[in-house]
């Protein structure tokens, strides 16, 4: 059984809560205290129906204060897969929330109200999905019951969205007509939507092929922590612990340590204390090297024949996540996986309109939820790949030196 | 399936190990909050794997309410020795004396919420800057929204409105003096994931997780063990039942589940069966409610 992380994107009335509630309820993954709440609400209804939106109900503090605390994570399991849903609220601070939730997702469900069709919100969500390179897109055309399950309505939305997808370069787009409220095409195939011959949503989620989402060709590794037991029997042991970001490493591989540029070979590989012949992404491993080289946290170990970019002048897309605006010349910490370096935002070239993708001039500072193209210089070089080619090694964050907040998502170009 | 493939438990394990290593690297004085339950035992197992062949580079900290199951305490001491970890125990009893706190009363006197005082004192005493906890996001609504690295002020408070965005697998652990970070490496695990992992890795658990005979009284549909902390009234009927515990907390407020499950396979089957009876039906039977109560009990600690 494997694991699929996905995010649901929809605006306030698209039925997102009902859809998530329906997935949890129909796949029989309701938590106990949620069932209690459901039972109460059902008792108050004469028709015995269940308010599925209750399953994703917020905290009491949120309801009382009318605030929304960004992303909630929800879990369900079927015999085929374990699922982790990042449920990002649809209104306040949407971009910030969606980026947080989407950064780990390998699939996005874009909800479209069948009565509204492709609207500004749909475009906005899709642009973020394309910026973040989410590998799989499901366009769930919801509320089909309110358009009399019309195939024409569905087809027209598919035509409209295909245009958006083409513009954004979104691949792997799947369209499913659903009614979250009535359960059509969620877990079971809808009997009413008989003109649709694709899979219902859950079946699609269970079967979508994610095996190729992890890059096994280009080997990338960054040192997180140096293990030096310094005991009698392990006196000279020096292991570099970290996550295999991508690719496969084998004992005897010729490797280069970056940014220093020193070459050596892998002498031993371990996973969970057990020696192994090879390690692969996304395993947490320990690498030992043949030569005694000075290596510390944040250094990269890559294969000599396939090296990433090494530079301290960075072209980036920044998604600004903080209330305090960004001005050119501001200094921050930049964190790329485990590597923390000082950085200055040298210049801001343009702002990207997340509704139209048009480039616009930046006036004043960069505000919360804005996406800009910028240039960053770091105090010491970064070892990375362009985000577009290699999401896992092309992403970073900016941290405010004084507040310690995470203020930006950085997509390295 | 390619041989370069991790199943869901291996992926969860890799993610947790990554988090443990980030804590060890980013903080000067981390600690693992050890409650004695299956979640913290699983965390110790993960930490051991994260730093092998070295030892776990932080102490196990137990905030002892004084109401623990003797089996759990015995297991705690054994486990610390087994993994060669430093064990720090601080007692709620001592905090009550020093601070002149009011001891909870009643038939089931819970010191659960008093733990917070002892915990904050312990953080101050050792200047811990990161406390690793075993809370999971599937436990309840608030947890579902909390970050893996959760910054706390000097009162240990979580401010849900000021959470840092947590992007990709990049963890920002920078804090000001006096603040500390609660880290939850098993955030993305569910109860069933934990049990399946315990089975897969053959992790030892205290005996009270498996069916055994115990003298209990029934209280509002729940089975509570008789102990030096819980004594029967004249109205109570003392029963001898075959039970196990689903969570391990204080003897005063942890209820037992009637069960014949003597090994991991049987426990997991019972849990799956409970979930099935939960599913699809809107009527909740007593057993399910009882389980929910137990699950909720855990909140106090963090």
């Amino acid at each position: 059984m494997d694991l699929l992380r996905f995010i649901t994107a929809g605006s306030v009335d698209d039925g997102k809560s009902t859809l998530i509630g329906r997935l949890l309820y129909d796949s029989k993954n309701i938590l106990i205290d949620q069932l209690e709440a459901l039972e109460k609400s059902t008792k108050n209804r004469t028709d015995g129906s269940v308010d599925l939106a209750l399953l994703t109900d917020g905290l009491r503090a949120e309801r009382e204060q009318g605030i929304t605390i960004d992303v909630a994570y929800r879990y369900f399991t079927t015999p085929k897969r374990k699922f982790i849903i990042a449920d990002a609220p649809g209104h306040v601070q949407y971009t910030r929330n969606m980026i947080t939730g989407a950064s780990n997702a390998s699939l996005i469900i874009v909800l479209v109200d069948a009565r509204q069709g492709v609207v500004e919100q749909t475009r906005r969500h899709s642009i973020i999905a394309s910026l973040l390179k989410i590998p799989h897109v499901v366009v769930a055309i919801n509320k089909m019951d309110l358009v009399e399950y019309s195939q024409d309505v569905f087809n027209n939305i598919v035509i409209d969205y295909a245009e958006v997808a083409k513009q954004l370069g979104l691949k792997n787009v799947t369209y499913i007509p659903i009614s979250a409220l009535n359960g059509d095409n969620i877990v079971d195939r809808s009997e009413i939507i008989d003109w649709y011959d694709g899979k219902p949503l859950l079946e699609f989620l269970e079967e979508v092929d994610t095996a190729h989402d992890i890059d096994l060709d280009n080997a990338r590794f960054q040192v997180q922590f140096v293990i030096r037991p310094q005991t009698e029997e392990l006196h000279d042991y020096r292991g570099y612990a970290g996550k295999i970001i991508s690719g496969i490493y084998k004992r005897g591989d010729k490797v280069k340590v970056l940014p220093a540029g020193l070459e050596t070979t892998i002498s031993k590989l371990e996973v969970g204390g057990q020696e192994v012949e090879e390690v692969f992404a996304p395993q947490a491993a320990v690498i030992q090297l043949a030569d005694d080289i000075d290596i510390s946290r944040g250094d990269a170990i890559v294969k000599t024949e396939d090296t990433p970019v090494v530079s301290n002048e960075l072209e980036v897309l920044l998604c600004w996540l903080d209330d305090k605006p960004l001005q050119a010349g501001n200094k921050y910490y930049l964190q790329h996986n485990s590597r923390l370096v000082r950085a200055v935002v040298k210049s801001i070239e343009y702002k990207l309109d997340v509704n139209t993708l048009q480039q616009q001039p930046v006036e004043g500072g960069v505000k919360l939820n804005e996406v800009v193209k910028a240039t960053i210089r770091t105090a010491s070089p970064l070892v990375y790949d362009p985000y577009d080619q290699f999401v896992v090694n092309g992403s970073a964050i900016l941290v405010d030196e004084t507040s310690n907040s995470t203020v930006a998502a950085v997509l390295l170009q | 399936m390619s041989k370069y493939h991790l199943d869901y438990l291996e992926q969860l394990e890799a993610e947790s190990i990554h988090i443990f290593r980030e804590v060890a690297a980013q903080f000067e004085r981390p600690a693992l909050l050890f409650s004695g339950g299956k979640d913290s035992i699983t965390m110790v197992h993960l930490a051991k794997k994260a730093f092998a062949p070295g030892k776990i580079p932080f102490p196990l900290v137990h905030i002892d309410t004084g109401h623990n199951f003797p089996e759990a305490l015995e297991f705690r001491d054994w486990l610390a020795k087994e993994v060669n970890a430093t064990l720090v125990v601080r007692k709620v009893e001592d905090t009550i004396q020093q601070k002149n706190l009011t001891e909870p009363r009643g038939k089931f006197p819970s010191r659960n919420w008093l733990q917070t005082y002892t915990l904050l004192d312990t953080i101050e005493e050792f200047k811990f800057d990161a406390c690793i906890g075993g809370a999971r996001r599937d436990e309840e609504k608030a947890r579902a929204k909390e970050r893996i690295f959760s910054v706390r002020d000097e009162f240990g408070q979580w401010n849900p409105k000021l959470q840092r965005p947590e992007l990709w697998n990049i963890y920002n652990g920078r804090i000001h003096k006096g603040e500390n970070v609660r880290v939850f490496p098993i955030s993305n695990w569910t109860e069933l994931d934990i049990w399946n992992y315990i089975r897969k890795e053959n992790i030892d658990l205290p005996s009270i997780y498996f069916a055994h005979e115990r003298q209990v009284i029934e209280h509002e549909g729940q089975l509570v063990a008789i102990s030096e902390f819980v004594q029967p009234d004249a109205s109570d009927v003392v029963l001898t039942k075959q039970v196990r515990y689903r969570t391990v907390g204080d003897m005063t407020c942890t209820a037992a589940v009637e069960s014949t499950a003597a090994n991991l396979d049987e426990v997991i089957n019972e849990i799956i069966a409970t979930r099935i009876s939960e599913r699809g039906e809107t009527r909740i039977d007593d057993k399910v409610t009882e389980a929910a109560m137990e699950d909720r009990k855990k909140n106090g600690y963090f």
Side-chain angles (χ1 to χ4, degrees):
Chain A
M1 189 162 87
D2 67 359
L3 180 61
L4 179 76
R5 296 171 199 250
F6 68 93
I7 178 169
T8 48
S11 39
V12 183
D13 296 319
D14 284 345
K16 187 163 62 70
S17 298
T18 310
L19 173 68
I20 294 173
R22 177 60 74 184
L23 276 173
L24 298 177
Y25 188 77
D26 283 7
S27 65
K28 307 188 183 355
N29 277 270
I30 306 295
L31 289 177
I32 300 140
D33 49 350
Q34 293 172 328
L35 257 185
E36 286 173 358
L38 265 192
E39 185 197 33
K40 271 189 215 139
S41 84
T42 309
K43 271 182 191 160
N44 297 335
R45 290 175 170 219
T46 45
D47 61 354
S49 68
V50 168
D51 185 358
L52 294 169
L54 273 182
L55 290 173
T56 57
D57 210 9
L59 305 173
R60 190 186 301 136
E62 293 177 286
R63 289 195 300 274
E64 284 170 3
Q65 300 171 34
I67 55 159
T68 306
I69 299 165
D70 53 40
V71 191
Y73 293 90
R74 312 194 188 278
Y75 302 83
F76 72 102
T77 307
T78 71
K80 289 185 180 160
R81 264 190 179 149
K82 173 184 166 92
F83 296 95
I84 302 178
I85 313 176
D87 177 12
H91 30 289
V92 199
Q93 298 195 344
Y94 196 78
T95 307
R96 170 185 153 129
N97 293 328
M98 186 171 162
I99 289 172
T100 301
S103 66
N104 283 316
S106 43
L107 182 145
I108 180 169
I109 299 178
V110 178
L111 267 170
V112 174
D113 185 330
R115 297 168 304 173
Q116 313 285 334
V118 175
V119 296
E120 197 177 295
Q121 284 275 41
T122 321
R123 294 180 68 84
R124 195 181 174 88
H125 301 154
S126 305
I127 285 170
I128 294 169
S130 81
L131 279 177
L132 290 178
K133 299 277 157 201
I134 301 178
H136 307 275
V137 179
V138 174
V139 181
I141 298 161
N142 191 22
K143 307 198 182 181
M144 288 301 294
D145 50 316
L146 300 181
V147 294
E148 293 164 344
Y149 298 99
S150 157
Q151 187 175 7
D152 286 344
V153 170
F154 176 79
N155 285 343
N156 285 332
I157 292 172
V158 171
I159 291 166
D160 288 349
Y161 193 87
E163 191 58 39
V164 175
K166 198 176 140 198
Q167 268 178 18
L168 299 176
L170 290 173
K171 297 182 188 89
N172 301 326
V173 182
T174 304
Y175 303 90
I176 306 179
I178 64 168
S179 164
L181 191 64
N182 298 338
D184 288 297
N185 281 337
I186 306 293
V187 171
D188 300 313
R189 180 174 300 278
S190 166
E191 283 172 22
I192 313 171
I193 311 176
D194 53 0
W195 43 263
Y196 170 76
D197 51 16
K199 293 171 187 166
L201 181 61
L202 185 63
E203 195 179 321
F204 180 82
L205 294 174
E206 285 180 323
E207 289 172 10
V208 59
D209 180 13
T210 53
H212 304 290
D213 295 348
I214 293 172
D215 185 313
L216 291 173
D217 298 325
N218 307 84
R220 299 287 184 263
F221 176 89
Q222 204 192 50
V223 177
Q224 257 192 293
F225 184 79
V226 183
I227 296 176
R228 296 193 63 187
Q230 291 175 311
T231 55
E232 205 136 301
E233 57 200 270
L234 295 165
H235 192 264
D236 295 321
Y237 184 99
R238 206 182 165 89
Y240 303 103
K243 191 176 66 174
I244 309 299
I245 296 171
S246 62
I248 301 161
Y249 289 85
K250 296 184 175 157
R251 190 169 58 182
D253 276 348
K254 288 192 185 342
V255 292
K256 197 180 235 181
V257 179
L258 293 172
L262 301 165
E263 290 186 18
T264 179
T265 47
I266 292 177
S267 59
K268 194 175 171 186
L269 291 165
E270 288 165 286
V271 172
Q274 300 293 317
E275 186 170 355
V276 290
E277 281 301 304
E278 53 184 1
V279 292
F280 57 91
Q283 279 182 318
V286 176
I287 295 181
Q288 285 182 261
L289 300 174
D291 299 288
D292 210 359
I293 301 176
D294 181 24
I295 300 177
S296 46
R297 174 172 161 88
D299 287 346
I301 299 174
V302 299
K303 297 201 188 168
T304 43
E305 75 275 8
D306 167 31
T307 53
V309 185
V310 182
S311 172
N312 63 350
E313 295 280 340
L314 315 169
E315 298 284 313
V316 302
L317 275 184
L318 288 183
C319 307
W320 199 250
L321 308 173
D322 202 44
D323 292 320
K324 209 161 72 183
L326 161 72
Q327 309 276 1
N330 284 7
K331 291 191 177 111
Y332 300 95
Y333 279 108
L334 184 146
Q335 190 177 346
H336 172 246
N337 293 317
S338 299
R339 186 174 183 83
L340 191 71
V341 292
R342 298 184 78 103
V344 56
V345 178
K346 274 171 60 188
S347 63
I348 301 161
E349 284 170 45
Y350 59 82
K351 187 168 87 182
L352 201 64
D353 185 318
V354 287
N355 294 319
T356 62
L357 269 190
Q358 278 174 345
Q359 301 176 4
Q360 295 170 340
V362 179
E363 286 150 20
V366 178
K367 293 185 274 300
L368 177 70
N369 290 332
E370 292 187 339
V371 178
V372 293
K373 172 82 190 312
T375 318
I376 289 179
R377 196 176 65 232
T378 52
S380 56
L382 220 59
V383 181
Y384 68 96
D385 293 277
Y387 187 89
D388 280 3
Q389 292 167 26
F390 223 150
V391 170
V392 279
N393 203 35
S395 46
I397 58 171
L398 290 184
V399 177
D400 187 298
E401 289 180 308
T402 54
S403 71
N404 291 329
S405 300
T406 301
V407 293
V410 183
L411 311 182
L412 297 155
Q413 304 290 290
Chain B
M1 199 59 81
S2 146
K3 67 169 174 166
Y4 302 114
H5 177 81
L6 297 184
D7 75 13
Y8 78 109
L9 287 176
E10 291 165 330
Q11 286 189 51
L12 290 173
E13 179 193 64
E15 179 182 85
S16 300
I17 288 177
H18 176 79
I19 295 162
F20 272 112
R21 288 169 173 171
E22 280 302 293
V23 176
Q26 290 195 33
F27 297 94
E28 278 171 39
R29 303 174 78 92
L32 190 152
L33 301 180
F34 186 81
S35 73
K38 64 180 189 312
D39 293 343
S40 54
I41 292 166
T42 300
M43 288 210 302
V44 171
H45 182 83
L46 289 162
K48 195 176 134 197
K49 282 187 130 181
F51 303 104
K55 59 179 264 190
I56 298 174
F58 34 75
L60 313 183
V61 173
H62 184 225
I63 304 301
D64 184 351
T65 58
H67 289 169
N68 290 289
F69 288 89
E71 295 91 337
L73 294 180
E74 200 180 304
F75 186 88
R76 172 197 76 188
D77 295 341
W78 171 83
L79 182 66
K81 212 172 247 168
E82 177 74 15
V83 300
N84 190 22
T86 312
L87 178 67
V88 172
V89 178
R90 288 294 176 270
K91 294 183 185 278
V92 173
E93 182 74 46
D94 296 338
T95 316
I96 293 174
Q97 302 289 333
Q98 286 156 17
K99 291 200 155 50
N100 200 13
L101 301 176
T102 309
E103 175 86 64
R105 286 166 228 268
K107 189 170 173 185
F108 306 103
S110 170
R111 284 177 168 177
N112 222 353
W113 67 277
L114 291 178
Q115 287 183 99
T116 313
Y117 291 97
T118 315
L119 175 61
L120 292 179
D121 285 353
T122 310
I123 289 173
E124 217 172 289
E125 178 187 349
F126 290 89
K127 307 260 178 295
F128 290 133
D129 49 3
C131 294
I132 305 164
R136 306 187 317 265
R137 282 177 178 151
D138 75 326
E139 286 177 278
E140 40 101 37
K141 284 174 176 177
R143 284 289 308 130
K145 299 197 169 189
E146 191 165 2
R147 301 285 191 251
I148 290 172
F149 271 40
S150 182
V151 180
R152 301 301 176 93
D153 63 19
E154 55 188 317
F155 303 102
Q157 293 186 108
W158 175 52
N159 186 344
K161 280 191 267 185
L162 283 179
Q163 295 204 94
R164 297 173 180 173
E166 203 158 72
L167 301 149
W168 296 288
N169 298 304
I170 305 174
Y171 300 102
N172 169 11
R174 294 187 63 83
I175 47 170
H176 296 291
K177 256 206 153 46
E179 291 177 337
N180 64 81
V181 176
R182 301 290 166 89
V183 180
F184 303 108
I186 54 169
S187 286
N188 285 325
W189 300 54
T190 62
E191 184 188 15
L192 200 54
D193 295 337
I194 294 281
W195 280 110
N196 281 323
Y197 184 73
I198 287 170
R199 175 164 61 180
K200 175 172 174 266
E201 297 284 302
N202 213 358
I203 299 172
D204 287 314
L205 291 179
S207 57
I208 54 176
Y209 276 110
F210 304 100
H212 56 283
E213 259 187 15
R214 205 174 268 274
Q215 284 201 313
V216 294
I217 53 171
E218 212 174 297
H219 173 72
E220 292 176 5
Q222 292 185 289
L223 301 178
V224 184
I226 294 182
S227 64
E228 60 174 300
F229 315 112
V230 177
Q231 291 297 321
D233 294 342
S235 61
D236 286 322
V237 182
V238 178
L239 308 159
T240 303
K241 294 233 178 196
Q242 186 88 350
V243 297
R244 67 176 169 85
Y245 285 87
R246 200 171 151 179
T247 62
V248 170
D250 286 359
M251 295 196 81
T252 54
C253 50
T254 308
V257 186
E258 245 187 302
S259 167
T260 55
N263 57 46
L264 279 173
D265 285 338
E266 288 169 14
V267 170
I268 289 171
N269 283 341
E270 279 193 6
I271 290 170
I272 292 171
T274 316
R275 295 223 162 222
I276 287 168
S277 80
E278 290 161 32
R279 296 169 173 188
E281 294 173 281
T282 47
R283 196 195 139 270
I284 303 166
D285 61 37
D286 292 342
K287 191 174 174 186
V288 176
T289 313
E290 180 184 299
M293 293 286 281
E294 287 179 31
D295 284 348
R296 280 191 206 116
K297 194 212 79 63
K298 298 176 69 185
N299 295 344
Y301 204 83
F302 299 115

